[in-house]
Amino acid sequence: MVYREATEWLFAQRRQGERGLGRVKALLERLGHPEEAFSAVHVLGTNGKGSVVAYLEAAFRAMGLAYGAYTSPHLQDFRERIRTHLGRIPEEEVVEFVAWAMGEAWPEPPGFFDLATAMAFHHFQRKGVALAAVEAGVGGEKDATNILPRVALTVLTNVGEDHLEALGGSLEAVAREKAGAFRQGVPVVTGARGIGLRVAEEVARTRGSPLYVLNPSDPLFALPAPPALKGAFQEENARLAAAALRLLAFPEEAIAQALREARHPGRLERFLVEGVEVFLDGAHNPPAALALSREFPAYHLVFGAFPRKDVQGVLAHLLPRAKSVRYTRAGEGALGRELGEPFFEDPGEALAQALGRARADGLPVLATGSLYLVGALRARLLPGFGQNLP
């Protein structure tokens, strides 16, 4: 088996039955419980989880720690999801894990995210990871990452309307699912507001978890350096990360270095293509789309999305500032011509058409709606089609 075959098998695995921890627990038991080998910061929320992990990872690196980072989704290569102080998980280790999983008999077959999570934790154990930043997938209490036994700190970025169908159908249900991952007595840092904050306060109180609510005037949330990740909405993520690191007793020098050096591709990522600014961002729900649209007075939009997303809610925020729009297929299984016209099957063609309009009026191109669309376009921009700018 080669790496491509291993990842194709992984992506094809679908969860059977209800969401829950049973499948990942069975995987980890057969692997000798690697999740017990390291401490973790568990990062939950609707938006901003990956950005918070990026800042935490930069701080771990600044301190010279043996660290792990687990995020999702990836942009171009599955191995982006699983990282340590030694780099991405090697291809041969992915192949080895998949071959093992394929050869086992599972009473309840694990899904893709169960397998990826177990693979990450197994890899962290093998590489001697002491502290990991772990991003939850969907939700919290029933998410595979909630199997972690040694959570040192929890970050709940925010609570918004995404994955409503999977998480109970209401904002309060989403909040309860996410807050359900709070650990007894373990501190929680949050940027939640409204219903989300009310639920977080209730759950934290019942579990004896100290709750630290984002307040820019509180020294705990101070920014000792300008955040590297661009966009006004990223300031909140930086403050949450800074607070988390202070609660973990990281020195101010390491926090400042992390803020300056964090990298998170595909989030308001800027390229220059034939003299035109192109921004790629994975905004895929209404709160993220609203925050993204506020970064620009106007733009030419390239948009692709997947079923089960609130496409109309996202477009309601993006279209008012779009001087033109081109719809495209974000990836396999994504929405097609039903998105609207003009539609381009090939994201590269949609981008090329948008560039033509942008050259005429000097406006930027914004490509968004899905991280999978970002990954597809990024693969075309990085080899030399465009110049990536800081």
Side-chain angles (χ1 to χ4, degrees):
M1 184 190 306
V2 297
Y3 176 67
R4 179 183 56 79
E5 293 170 328
T7 54
E8 286 176 353
W9 181 85
L10 270 176
F11 298 147
Q13 303 313 297
R14 298 287 180 264
R15 184 186 71 239
Q16 304 294 319
E18 297 297 317
R19 296 175 62 248
L21 305 183
R23 289 170 293 271
V24 72
K25 181 179 180 181
L27 280 160
L28 294 168
E29 282 178 349
R30 296 195 194 184
L31 291 167
H33 288 293
E35 76 280 11
E36 297 176 354
F38 55 90
S39 296
V41 179
H42 198 197
V43 184
L44 314 157
T46 300
N47 294 311
K49 298 188 297 292
S51 297
V52 169
V53 171
Y55 285 117
L56 297 177
E57 184 178 5
F60 298 169
R61 190 164 50 244
M63 291 294 291
L65 298 178
Y67 74 84
Y70 178 50
T71 55
S72 59
H74 61 275
L75 294 179
Q76 294 166 252
D77 182 353
F78 170 81
R79 297 186 306 125
E80 297 169 26
R81 296 170 178 254
I82 304 172
R83 310 180 295 277
T84 73
H85 52 291
L86 300 174
R88 297 177 184 175
I89 184 172
E91 289 187 0
E92 55 269 25
E93 193 169 329
V94 175
V95 173
E96 177 188 333
F97 182 92
V98 167
W100 169 78
M102 291 175 68
E104 294 284 307
W106 303 102
E108 191 178 7
F112 167 79
F113 196 71
D114 301 309
L115 291 157
T117 301
M119 186 191 306
F121 296 170
H122 186 231
H123 180 63
F124 292 169
Q125 179 193 44
R126 294 176 71 168
K127 299 304 178 184
V129 163
L131 179 62
V134 176
E135 175 187 351
V138 175
E141 184 174 16
K142 296 179 182 177
D143 188 79
T145 59
N146 199 33
I147 200 73
L148 289 164
R150 296 174 55 195
V151 175
L153 184 86
T154 301
V155 179
L156 173 62
T157 57
N158 48 52
V159 177
E161 293 184 351
D162 194 21
H163 301 292
L164 282 178
E165 182 180 340
L167 300 181
S170 71
L171 194 59
E172 180 168 351
V174 171
R176 291 200 178 279
E177 163 67 17
K178 294 182 187 298
F182 292 179
R183 306 308 179 90
Q184 196 76 28
V186 173
V188 179
V189 174
T190 187
R193 301 178 178 87
I195 293 174
L197 178 56
R198 177 174 60 78
V199 171
E201 289 173 334
E202 176 191 326
V203 175
R205 187 166 54 250
T206 61
R207 300 189 182 179
S209 303
L211 184 68
Y212 300 89
V213 181
L214 177 63
N215 178 358
S217 63
D218 184 340
L220 180 67
F221 295 92
L223 296 176
L229 304 184
K230 305 304 180 185
F233 55 90
Q234 286 288 3
E235 179 183 314
E236 184 171 302
N237 298 325
R239 290 187 185 280
L240 293 172
L245 290 165
R246 290 188 179 102
L247 291 171
L248 292 169
F250 275 64
E252 287 297 307
E253 297 79 12
I255 297 172
Q257 184 174 338
L259 292 173
R260 289 192 299 264
E261 296 180 356
R263 296 290 179 267
H264 194 29
R267 281 72 175 180
L268 205 62
E269 188 173 13
R270 181 174 179 257
F271 293 80
L272 191 65
V273 183
E274 302 170 5
V276 176
E277 287 183 306
V278 176
F279 291 89
L280 305 183
D281 192 273
H284 60 270
N285 54 51
L290 175 60
L292 177 61
S293 68
R294 289 172 171 168
E295 294 294 319
F296 305 92
Y299 44 76
H300 295 284
L301 180 65
V302 175
F303 183 84
F306 279 77
R308 298 189 301 278
K309 294 295 182 181
D310 183 4
V311 175
Q312 295 310 312
V314 170
L315 287 173
H317 294 306
L318 295 175
L319 290 179
R321 299 191 182 191
K323 294 300 181 182
S324 71
V325 60
R326 285 150 191 85
Y327 299 101
T328 188
R329 195 176 299 278
E332 185 177 350
L335 295 170
R337 199 169 295 277
E338 63 266 38
L339 283 170
E341 295 289 347
F343 175 79
F344 300 86
E345 191 69 35
D346 178 13
E349 185 179 355
L351 177 60
Q353 293 288 331
L355 285 168
R357 282 292 303 272
R359 275 193 295 272
D361 60 18
L363 290 176
V365 173
L366 173 62
T368 190
S370 168
L371 280 168
Y372 292 97
L373 173 63
V374 168
L377 290 175
R378 198 169 184 271
R380 306 205 182 194
L381 294 177
L382 284 176
F385 181 39
Q387 178 186 353
N388 184 215
L389 298 178

